[in-house]
Each structure stands twice: as structure tokens, then as C-alpha cells.
Amino acid sequence: MASAVSRFLAQLHAMVTSPEPRPGLHPIPASQPLTFGAAIVPPLTYYIALLLLAPPPPPIVDSIYVITIRNILALTAGFLFFRLPLAYHVPQSIGLTYQLGLVGLYGGCRVVDAFFISPYCFKHIPRRVKYVHKPRIETPALEEPRRMKEWSDGGVKEPYSHKEKGKASDEPVTDQTTQAGVQPTCKPTQANKRRRSSLSADIARKMSDSIPGVACDSYFAVQRTLNGPDPRPVLETAMTENGWPQSLRDRASWALELELSMRGVGFTWTTADVRHTRKTWLPTVGNRVHSIFVHTLPVLLVSWFVIRTTYVRYLATPMGRMESYHDEHRGRELELFDEKLPLPVQLLLTGALGAFLMAAFSLGHSLFAIVLSPLAPSPLAFFPPLYSTRIWDVTSVRKFWSYGWHRLFARLFLVYGVWPGEWIERKLTGKRSDEPADVGKVLGGFLSSAFVHSFSVRGVLGGDWSSAAGEAKFFALNGLAVVVEGAFARAVKSSRKKRGLDASMWYDGWIGRVWWLTVLLGSGRNFARGWVKSSLVREIAFQ
């Protein structure tokens, strides 16, 4: 037994320390295996520069000498971040090499934003925001079974599930006075028939109206079990901390919190999905644990099983080890995704990859929230829900990317995609600065996402940009879909208004669901094709 353990440890050590790329990994030519020093120096340099970025006191931080030193450190950190995925790879893992591209590009862009774009273009250095959560009394439940809470990644679907003035709707609302958790289960009235509600709410109401009391109680008991522990209802107040940091310890805390906060949680450049209504709920550790075991892990395991089964059955052939091959008879490069997978299997693999990624992000988010929960009330322990709506409540492509997907890179896409896109549209159309430039906003955001993801997958495809075009096509097509659906929706509403009809019909939500699923699965084949070609699917399948 001891000898077997020793052999296993020896093999594990050899695998971890081996400089040879694992099968299926094609790093950028001339890149080297990542070293500890190369990995730690960029974020460490960035952190030291952030120590000098925090606003005064002391007044010396605004002196020309400190600003010069700070900018030199920032330029060094940015250069090292951008260089990271170009000069290094992780030989043991395709996925980690892909992540290295994301980290390098995100880190470099974040440094440029924090030290140069925000301070010099907008005269703004992020201020820390202090959150105060005071317990509040939740609206009492009625005598009949109440509508089950909407959950998202261990917490309630916040703030978009809240029903304004008791009305249920497929449209997300962000009214400051709304709250969730209660819906009367009375007999349908004419007004109720006109209300559109989520799938879960429809099922709950129909069950309570049509089955005996004992069975209805059992049904809602099962629903409460699936929903998990209740969150804490609180009244949230966010205040900018002026005159902070004061001491060196405060400054060190400010720098660490800003460096680790991808969504700007705890700072004035917080992303939109983190900004809460005042009435909100704080997910507890129990919520997170329940979410992991009841929601996240089942999705993760089922989607992984589909990915592995698909790879083993269709792609794991001797020829398939390169994920593409040259057909001498037809004289072109063939990809196994197209040649080996029937269209239904392509769509199945695409959906499984999307579900796997959503569940993996959710798992990591919840685990970090659990581990760092003892640090509360520090912003480091504040983990707002990663996904702000349930997937079946999404009724358009725009809503999927706005509410149904994570926004960890939202600040990057805002600064380097949305703002330039809006500026270009206004220049081309002559719009004023106070007029919306939605087309430029959407296309700019999606094109920046296309570049970021293509840059990352390029690092595992030997640096070949053409091979990395799949992810770029995916995001570009989704941007076009958002623009097209917006124009179509406006045209339909205008036509209905002219005919004296309601702006929204009962079937709009279902048409929207079919539409966004068709777009995501259809365009997502480009994404899945790239992941098959880069052997990322192979690594996920443990092959």
C-alpha cells in the first residue's frame, strides 16, 4: 500500500513538474512553461502601485514624485500582465493555459483602466463603498401557500424577480420599493388572467387551485426543500467612504479589495448587476451550501457526463487526437466537430458546454463566498448573486447576456467596448452625447468580448488567429442578434399600437424563449467547434 502511494505521488510530481505540454495542448511557439515568479510578479507589482493610487491622506500621494513612481509601477504591471499569455503556458493543462490568456488580458486592461483611463480621462479614482445591512421585517405570508422564492446561485434572484406592486411579469424590474417572496394564491380573476408570470409561479398557482389541500401542502413542502434555507431580509444602504483610507493598514486593505474585486464590489465602479434595491436579501452560508448540492452539482455532473459521453463516442479516435485533420482527397482542413458529430449531437454538446460553464462559475462563486464569509462585513466577504435571473425567465438574447450570464468582465467590456462603440456611433450619426447610442453600445461590448475570448483560445492553438475565430464569430453573431431583436421588437410594438392592441401579448415570452435558445445554440456551435479543436472538450472529458 505504501509503495503504491509512493508511486502515485512520484507520478503526480513528475506530471506537475514536467515541461512537456500535455497531449492536445499546442502552446504559442517559443513560449515557456509558467514559473512561480512569472505568475506572481504582475499582480504583486499591481498591488504595490495600488498602494500609491488610493486617495489621500497623506497628501504626499498627490505629489508629482509619487504619481511618477506609481505610473511607472503601473506600466510595468500592465506590460507583465499582457506579456504573461504570450511568453508562457501551463504545460499540464489546456484549460489553465486558456485561463492564463484571460488573466493576462484582463489584468493588463484593468491596470490601464485604474491608473490611466479613469484618473486622467474621467478624473476619478475608485472610492470604497460601505454597505450597511439592517434587518427588516419580511412581508408576512398569507394563509394559503405562498409563491416560492426565486433563487440564483445560492441567493434570491435579485433584484429582477421582485414584482412591482404585486404584479408578476416576465420583464425584469428594478423598482426601489419592490420585494419578493409572497404572492397570493387566490382564484383567478380577470386581472390575474392578464398578468404574465414565470413558469414556476404558474405551476405553483395551478397546483394550489386544482388539487386537495393535503396534496398541495406536500407539493409546497417539496418546493421549500428544493429552495433551501431562507435568506436574511435586510435593508441595504450604500455610502461612499470619503476621507478613507487613513492609515497604512487602511491603504493596504483598499488596494487588496480593489485588486480582487472583478465586479467592483465595494467600490464606486460597481457593475450594474451588483447594484441592489434597498430592500434585499443576504444569502447565508446555508443558502450557498444548499445551492451547491441541490442545484449546481447536479447540473455540473449531468453536463459533464454529456460532454464526456459525446467525446468518447464520437471524437476519441486515433485520428481525432488532433481534433482536426487534412483530407487529401478534398484538399481541405476538416474539423471533427463538423465531420464526426451529427447536427443534433452538435447542439447537445453546445448546450452541455454552456450548462457546464454556468455551473462551474456558480460553484466557484459559492465556494469563495463560503470560505470568505468569516471576513464579513468586509467587502471581501460580499458575494452578490452571480446570475440575476433564472434561465427559464429569460425571453430574449439581450436578457440572457444582461441577466442570465455572469458579468465578471463587465467593466472590461464597458471601458474597451461599450464606450468606444457609443462614441463611434455618435460620430457616424451625429447624435448628441445625451442621446442613446444602443447599436454602438451593443456591438462594441460584444466585439470586445469576441477579441478577449479569441485571444485566450489562441494561446492553446499554437498562436493561430484563424483557428481561434470560432469564439469571435459566436460573440459577434450574438451582438447582431441583440440589435436585430431590438429593432424587431420596436417594430412589432409600434404596429400593435397603431392597431389599438396591447404592446405585449401573452405569447411574446414563449416566442422570445424559442428565439434566444435558437440563437444561442445555433451560434454556440462556433464556440463548441473551437473548444473541440483546441482540445478543451478533451480535457473536460478527462481524456
Side-chain angles (χ1 to χ4, degrees), residues 127-150:
R127 290 277 187 177
R128 202 174 79 157
V129 174
K130 183 178 181 181
Y131 299 100
V132 178
H133 297 109
K134 296 182 179 180
R136 64 178 171 87
I137 299 177
E138 194 173 8
T139 305
L142 302 181
E143 292 182 2
E144 293 189 86
R146 67 176 183 174
R147 178 176 179 265
M148 54 188 173
K149 293 182 295 296
E150 303 289 352

PDB file of all heavy atoms in Angstrom, residues 127-150:
ATOM      1  N   ARG A 127     -13.614  55.049  -5.220  1.00  0.00           N
ATOM      2  CA  ARG A 127     -13.811  55.207  -3.786  1.00  0.00           C
ATOM      3  C   ARG A 127     -14.468  53.950  -3.231  1.00  0.00           C
ATOM      4  O   ARG A 127     -15.291  53.325  -3.895  1.00  0.00           O
ATOM      5  CB  ARG A 127     -14.718  56.408  -3.504  1.00  0.00           C
ATOM      6  CG  ARG A 127     -14.078  57.743  -3.806  1.00  0.00           C
ATOM      7  CD  ARG A 127     -13.212  58.203  -2.662  1.00  0.00           C
ATOM      8  NE  ARG A 127     -12.716  59.561  -2.849  1.00  0.00           N
ATOM      9  CZ  ARG A 127     -11.981  60.197  -1.965  1.00  0.00           C
ATOM     10  NH1 ARG A 127     -11.651  59.601  -0.826  1.00  0.00           N
ATOM     11  NH2 ARG A 127     -11.559  61.420  -2.203  1.00  0.00           N
ATOM     12  N   ARG A 128     -14.119  53.604  -2.014  1.00  0.00           N
ATOM     13  CA  ARG A 128     -14.738  52.430  -1.418  1.00  0.00           C
ATOM     14  C   ARG A 128     -16.144  52.770  -0.951  1.00  0.00           C
ATOM     15  O   ARG A 128     -16.399  53.868  -0.458  1.00  0.00           O
ATOM     16  CB  ARG A 128     -13.920  51.883  -0.250  1.00  0.00           C
ATOM     17  CG  ARG A 128     -14.235  50.409   0.012  1.00  0.00           C
ATOM     18  CD  ARG A 128     -13.343  49.795   1.051  1.00  0.00           C
ATOM     19  NE  ARG A 128     -13.764  50.159   2.395  1.00  0.00           N
ATOM     20  CZ  ARG A 128     -13.462  49.437   3.478  1.00  0.00           C
ATOM     21  NH1 ARG A 128     -12.744  48.348   3.364  1.00  0.00           N
ATOM     22  NH2 ARG A 128     -13.862  49.819   4.671  1.00  0.00           N
ATOM     23  N   VAL A 129     -17.041  51.816  -1.117  1.00  0.00           N
ATOM     24  CA  VAL A 129     -18.432  51.959  -0.708  1.00  0.00           C
ATOM     25  C   VAL A 129     -18.667  51.075   0.501  1.00  0.00           C
ATOM     26  O   VAL A 129     -18.299  49.900   0.514  1.00  0.00           O
ATOM     27  CB  VAL A 129     -19.388  51.561  -1.849  1.00  0.00           C
ATOM     28  CG1 VAL A 129     -20.831  51.562  -1.370  1.00  0.00           C
ATOM     29  CG2 VAL A 129     -19.218  52.504  -3.026  1.00  0.00           C
ATOM     30  N   LYS A 130     -19.279  51.648   1.503  1.00  0.00           N
ATOM     31  CA  LYS A 130     -19.588  50.899   2.715  1.00  0.00           C
ATOM     32  C   LYS A 130     -21.050  50.481   2.692  1.00  0.00           C
ATOM     33  O   LYS A 130     -21.938  51.299   2.532  1.00  0.00           O
ATOM     34  CB  LYS A 130     -19.319  51.747   3.965  1.00  0.00           C
ATOM     35  CG  LYS A 130     -19.552  51.007   5.272  1.00  0.00           C
ATOM     36  CD  LYS A 130     -19.226  51.894   6.461  1.00  0.00           C
ATOM     37  CE  LYS A 130     -19.432  51.140   7.776  1.00  0.00           C
ATOM     38  NZ  LYS A 130     -19.128  52.005   8.950  1.00  0.00           N
ATOM     39  N   TYR A 131     -21.270  49.183   2.825  1.00  0.00           N
ATOM     40  CA  TYR A 131     -22.624  48.643   2.835  1.00  0.00           C
ATOM     41  C   TYR A 131     -23.088  48.442   4.277  1.00  0.00           C
ATOM     42  O   TYR A 131     -22.378  47.839   5.086  1.00  0.00           O
ATOM     43  CB  TYR A 131     -22.697  47.304   2.097  1.00  0.00           C
ATOM     44  CG  TYR A 131     -22.310  47.394   0.633  1.00  0.00           C
ATOM     45  CD1 TYR A 131     -21.039  47.017   0.205  1.00  0.00           C
ATOM     46  CD2 TYR A 131     -23.211  47.845  -0.318  1.00  0.00           C
ATOM     47  CE1 TYR A 131     -20.678  47.087  -1.129  1.00  0.00           C
ATOM     48  CE2 TYR A 131     -22.870  47.928  -1.659  1.00  0.00           C
ATOM     49  CZ  TYR A 131     -21.596  47.543  -2.059  1.00  0.00           C
ATOM     50  OH  TYR A 131     -21.243  47.628  -3.377  1.00  0.00           O
ATOM     51  N   VAL A 132     -24.266  48.945   4.576  1.00  0.00           N
ATOM     52  CA  VAL A 132     -24.878  48.748   5.890  1.00  0.00           C
ATOM     53  C   VAL A 132     -26.160  47.963   5.686  1.00  0.00           C
ATOM     54  O   VAL A 132     -27.051  48.394   4.945  1.00  0.00           O
ATOM     55  CB  VAL A 132     -25.178  50.096   6.586  1.00  0.00           C
ATOM     56  CG1 VAL A 132     -25.869  49.854   7.925  1.00  0.00           C
ATOM     57  CG2 VAL A 132     -23.893  50.886   6.777  1.00  0.00           C
ATOM     58  N   HIS A 133     -26.238  46.802   6.327  1.00  0.00           N
ATOM     59  CA  HIS A 133     -27.416  45.951   6.196  1.00  0.00           C
ATOM     60  C   HIS A 133     -28.129  45.878   7.540  1.00  0.00           C
ATOM     61  O   HIS A 133     -27.588  45.346   8.505  1.00  0.00           O
ATOM     62  CB  HIS A 133     -27.022  44.547   5.728  1.00  0.00           C
ATOM     63  CG  HIS A 133     -26.398  44.525   4.373  1.00  0.00           C
ATOM     64  ND1 HIS A 133     -25.058  44.274   4.160  1.00  0.00           N
ATOM     65  CD2 HIS A 133     -26.927  44.766   3.149  1.00  0.00           C
ATOM     66  CE1 HIS A 133     -24.791  44.327   2.879  1.00  0.00           C
ATOM     67  NE2 HIS A 133     -25.912  44.620   2.233  1.00  0.00           N
ATOM     68  N   LYS A 134     -29.338  46.416   7.579  1.00  0.00           N
ATOM     69  CA  LYS A 134     -30.141  46.382   8.788  1.00  0.00           C
ATOM     70  C   LYS A 134     -31.289  45.398   8.598  1.00  0.00           C
ATOM     71  O   LYS A 134     -31.961  45.418   7.559  1.00  0.00           O
ATOM     72  CB  LYS A 134     -30.696  47.775   9.106  1.00  0.00           C
ATOM     73  CG  LYS A 134     -29.608  48.805   9.418  1.00  0.00           C
ATOM     74  CD  LYS A 134     -30.222  50.149   9.763  1.00  0.00           C
ATOM     75  CE  LYS A 134     -29.135  51.169  10.096  1.00  0.00           C
ATOM     76  NZ  LYS A 134     -29.703  52.491  10.442  1.00  0.00           N
ATOM     77  N   PRO A 135     -31.533  44.540   9.591  1.00  0.00           N
ATOM     78  CA  PRO A 135     -32.635  43.570   9.464  1.00  0.00           C
ATOM     79  C   PRO A 135     -33.957  44.287   9.261  1.00  0.00           C
ATOM     80  O   PRO A 135     -34.201  45.357   9.818  1.00  0.00           O
ATOM     81  CB  PRO A 135     -32.605  42.824  10.808  1.00  0.00           C
ATOM     82  CG  PRO A 135     -31.222  43.034  11.324  1.00  0.00           C
ATOM     83  CD  PRO A 135     -30.789  44.379  10.854  1.00  0.00           C
ATOM     84  N   ARG A 136     -34.809  43.707   8.448  1.00  0.00           N
ATOM     85  CA  ARG A 136     -36.129  44.255   8.225  1.00  0.00           C
ATOM     86  C   ARG A 136     -37.146  43.135   8.356  1.00  0.00           C
ATOM     87  O   ARG A 136     -36.818  41.950   8.236  1.00  0.00           O
ATOM     88  CB  ARG A 136     -36.241  44.910   6.849  1.00  0.00           C
ATOM     89  CG  ARG A 136     -36.072  43.947   5.678  1.00  0.00           C
ATOM     90  CD  ARG A 136     -36.239  44.668   4.345  1.00  0.00           C
ATOM     91  NE  ARG A 136     -35.884  43.812   3.227  1.00  0.00           N
ATOM     92  CZ  ARG A 136     -36.747  42.972   2.642  1.00  0.00           C
ATOM     93  NH1 ARG A 136     -37.982  42.893   3.075  1.00  0.00           N
ATOM     94  NH2 ARG A 136     -36.367  42.225   1.635  1.00  0.00           N
ATOM     95  N   ILE A 137     -38.364  43.518   8.589  1.00  0.00           N
ATOM     96  CA  ILE A 137     -39.435  42.536   8.727  1.00  0.00           C
ATOM     97  C   ILE A 137     -39.946  42.187   7.339  1.00  0.00           C
ATOM     98  O   ILE A 137     -40.360  43.054   6.575  1.00  0.00           O
ATOM     99  CB  ILE A 137     -40.581  43.091   9.587  1.00  0.00           C
ATOM    100  CG1 ILE A 137     -40.072  43.421  10.994  1.00  0.00           C
ATOM    101  CG2 ILE A 137     -41.725  42.085   9.652  1.00  0.00           C
ATOM    102  CD1 ILE A 137     -41.124  44.050  11.887  1.00  0.00           C
ATOM    103  N   GLU A 138     -39.896  40.894   7.023  1.00  0.00           N
ATOM    104  CA  GLU A 138     -40.370  40.444   5.725  1.00  0.00           C
ATOM    105  C   GLU A 138     -41.884  40.436   5.717  1.00  0.00           C
ATOM    106  O   GLU A 138     -42.523  40.173   6.738  1.00  0.00           O
ATOM    107  CB  GLU A 138     -39.833  39.041   5.433  1.00  0.00           C
ATOM    108  CG  GLU A 138     -39.990  38.618   3.980  1.00  0.00           C
ATOM    109  CD  GLU A 138     -39.280  37.307   3.721  1.00  0.00           C
ATOM    110  OE1 GLU A 138     -38.820  36.688   4.688  1.00  0.00           O
ATOM    111  OE2 GLU A 138     -39.197  36.909   2.554  1.00  0.00           O
ATOM    112  N   THR A 139     -42.487  40.720   4.559  1.00  0.00           N
ATOM    113  CA  THR A 139     -43.941  40.723   4.449  1.00  0.00           C
ATOM    114  C   THR A 139     -44.485  39.374   4.864  1.00  0.00           C
ATOM    115  O   THR A 139     -44.045  38.346   4.351  1.00  0.00           O
ATOM    116  CB  THR A 139     -44.364  41.025   3.001  1.00  0.00           C
ATOM    117  OG1 THR A 139     -43.765  42.254   2.601  1.00  0.00           O
ATOM    118  CG2 THR A 139     -45.878  41.123   2.898  1.00  0.00           C
ATOM    119  N   PRO A 140     -45.436  39.297   5.801  1.00  0.00           N
ATOM    120  CA  PRO A 140     -45.919  38.000   6.266  1.00  0.00           C
ATOM    121  C   PRO A 140     -46.633  37.234   5.168  1.00  0.00           C
ATOM    122  O   PRO A 140     -47.287  37.803   4.308  1.00  0.00           O
ATOM    123  CB  PRO A 140     -46.894  38.378   7.396  1.00  0.00           C
ATOM    124  CG  PRO A 140     -47.327  39.770   7.065  1.00  0.00           C
ATOM    125  CD  PRO A 140     -46.133  40.426   6.430  1.00  0.00           C
ATOM    126  N   ALA A 141     -46.484  35.908   5.231  1.00  0.00           N
ATOM    127  CA  ALA A 141     -47.136  35.047   4.245  1.00  0.00           C
ATOM    128  C   ALA A 141     -48.632  34.983   4.516  1.00  0.00           C
ATOM    129  O   ALA A 141     -49.087  35.077   5.640  1.00  0.00           O
ATOM    130  CB  ALA A 141     -46.529  33.646   4.300  1.00  0.00           C
ATOM    131  N   LEU A 142     -49.404  34.820   3.453  1.00  0.00           N
ATOM    132  CA  LEU A 142     -50.840  34.673   3.602  1.00  0.00           C
ATOM    133  C   LEU A 142     -51.171  33.262   4.065  1.00  0.00           C
ATOM    134  O   LEU A 142     -50.319  32.400   4.180  1.00  0.00           O
ATOM    135  CB  LEU A 142     -51.525  34.988   2.269  1.00  0.00           C
ATOM    136  CG  LEU A 142     -51.241  36.400   1.725  1.00  0.00           C
ATOM    137  CD1 LEU A 142     -51.992  36.601   0.429  1.00  0.00           C
ATOM    138  CD2 LEU A 142     -51.620  37.464   2.742  1.00  0.00           C
ATOM    139  N   GLU A 143     -52.440  33.027   4.325  1.00  0.00           N
ATOM    140  CA  GLU A 143     -52.846  31.739   4.865  1.00  0.00           C
ATOM    141  C   GLU A 143     -52.596  30.620   3.856  1.00  0.00           C
ATOM    142  O   GLU A 143     -52.203  29.529   4.218  1.00  0.00           O
ATOM    143  CB  GLU A 143     -54.333  31.776   5.244  1.00  0.00           C
ATOM    144  CG  GLU A 143     -54.626  32.691   6.416  1.00  0.00           C
ATOM    145  CD  GLU A 143     -56.086  32.662   6.788  1.00  0.00           C
ATOM    146  OE1 GLU A 143     -56.841  31.910   6.150  1.00  0.00           O
ATOM    147  OE2 GLU A 143     -56.452  33.381   7.720  1.00  0.00           O
ATOM    148  N   GLU A 144     -52.826  30.898   2.600  1.00  0.00           N
ATOM    149  CA  GLU A 144     -52.623  29.878   1.595  1.00  0.00           C
ATOM    150  C   GLU A 144     -51.141  29.796   1.260  1.00  0.00           C
ATOM    151  O   GLU A 144     -50.373  30.703   1.565  1.00  0.00           O
ATOM    152  CB  GLU A 144     -53.434  30.207   0.349  1.00  0.00           C
ATOM    153  CG  GLU A 144     -54.932  30.126   0.599  1.00  0.00           C
ATOM    154  CD  GLU A 144     -55.691  30.244  -0.695  1.00  0.00           C
ATOM    155  OE1 GLU A 144     -55.883  29.230  -1.363  1.00  0.00           O
ATOM    156  OE2 GLU A 144     -56.066  31.380  -1.025  1.00  0.00           O
ATOM    157  N   PRO A 145     -50.696  28.694   0.621  1.00  0.00           N
ATOM    158  CA  PRO A 145     -49.272  28.530   0.316  1.00  0.00           C
ATOM    159  C   PRO A 145     -48.754  29.702  -0.498  1.00  0.00           C
ATOM    160  O   PRO A 145     -49.365  30.121  -1.465  1.00  0.00           O
ATOM    161  CB  PRO A 145     -49.232  27.228  -0.492  1.00  0.00           C
ATOM    162  CG  PRO A 145     -50.469  26.498  -0.075  1.00  0.00           C
ATOM    163  CD  PRO A 145     -51.501  27.557   0.188  1.00  0.00           C
ATOM    164  N   ARG A 146     -47.614  30.235  -0.079  1.00  0.00           N
ATOM    165  CA  ARG A 146     -47.072  31.387  -0.775  1.00  0.00           C
ATOM    166  C   ARG A 146     -46.223  30.942  -1.964  1.00  0.00           C
ATOM    167  O   ARG A 146     -45.770  29.810  -2.036  1.00  0.00           O
ATOM    168  CB  ARG A 146     -46.207  32.213   0.171  1.00  0.00           C
ATOM    169  CG  ARG A 146     -44.943  31.501   0.618  1.00  0.00           C
ATOM    170  CD  ARG A 146     -44.101  32.416   1.479  1.00  0.00           C
ATOM    171  NE  ARG A 146     -42.860  31.775   1.861  1.00  0.00           N
ATOM    172  CZ  ARG A 146     -41.892  32.391   2.512  1.00  0.00           C
ATOM    173  NH1 ARG A 146     -42.023  33.654   2.865  1.00  0.00           N
ATOM    174  NH2 ARG A 146     -40.787  31.752   2.821  1.00  0.00           N
ATOM    175  N   ARG A 147     -46.015  31.876  -2.846  1.00  0.00           N
ATOM    176  CA  ARG A 147     -45.194  31.598  -4.019  1.00  0.00           C
ATOM    177  C   ARG A 147     -43.752  31.382  -3.589  1.00  0.00           C
ATOM    178  O   ARG A 147     -43.214  32.124  -2.795  1.00  0.00           O
ATOM    179  CB  ARG A 147     -45.274  32.782  -4.995  1.00  0.00           C
ATOM    180  CG  ARG A 147     -44.406  32.619  -6.228  1.00  0.00           C
ATOM    181  CD  ARG A 147     -44.643  33.808  -7.146  1.00  0.00           C
ATOM    182  NE  ARG A 147     -43.814  33.682  -8.327  1.00  0.00           N
ATOM    183  CZ  ARG A 147     -42.628  34.252  -8.446  1.00  0.00           C
ATOM    184  NH1 ARG A 147     -42.136  34.956  -7.447  1.00  0.00           N
ATOM    185  NH2 ARG A 147     -41.928  34.119  -9.553  1.00  0.00           N
ATOM    186  N   MET A 148     -43.134  30.353  -4.148  1.00  0.00           N
ATOM    187  CA  MET A 148     -41.771  30.041  -3.732  1.00  0.00           C
ATOM    188  C   MET A 148     -40.809  31.126  -4.193  1.00  0.00           C
ATOM    189  O   MET A 148     -41.016  31.773  -5.209  1.00  0.00           O
ATOM    190  CB  MET A 148     -41.348  28.688  -4.301  1.00  0.00           C
ATOM    191  CG  MET A 148     -41.495  28.556  -5.792  1.00  0.00           C
ATOM    192  SD  MET A 148     -41.195  26.875  -6.299  1.00  0.00           S
ATOM    193  CE  MET A 148     -41.632  26.951  -8.022  1.00  0.00           C
ATOM    194  N   LYS A 149     -39.753  31.280  -3.405  1.00  0.00           N
ATOM    195  CA  LYS A 149     -38.753  32.320  -3.698  1.00  0.00           C
ATOM    196  C   LYS A 149     -37.972  31.962  -4.954  1.00  0.00           C
ATOM    197  O   LYS A 149     -37.785  30.802  -5.297  1.00  0.00           O
ATOM    198  CB  LYS A 149     -37.787  32.478  -2.519  1.00  0.00           C
ATOM    199  CG  LYS A 149     -38.449  33.026  -1.275  1.00  0.00           C
ATOM    200  CD  LYS A 149     -37.423  33.192  -0.184  1.00  0.00           C
ATOM    201  CE  LYS A 149     -36.854  31.865   0.257  1.00  0.00           C
ATOM    202  NZ  LYS A 149     -37.880  31.006   0.857  1.00  0.00           N
ATOM    203  N   GLU A 150     -37.508  33.001  -5.628  1.00  0.00           N
ATOM    204  CA  GLU A 150     -36.654  32.803  -6.787  1.00  0.00           C
ATOM    205  C   GLU A 150     -35.202  32.773  -6.317  1.00  0.00           C
ATOM    206  O   GLU A 150     -34.744  33.690  -5.638  1.00  0.00           O
ATOM    207  CB  GLU A 150     -36.851  33.950  -7.791  1.00  0.00           C
ATOM    208  CG  GLU A 150     -38.288  34.134  -8.247  1.00  0.00           C
ATOM    209  CD  GLU A 150     -38.731  33.009  -9.157  1.00  0.00           C
ATOM    210  OE1 GLU A 150     -37.887  32.188  -9.545  1.00  0.00           O
ATOM    211  OE2 GLU A 150     -39.930  32.940  -9.458  1.00  0.00           O
TER     212      GLU A 150
END
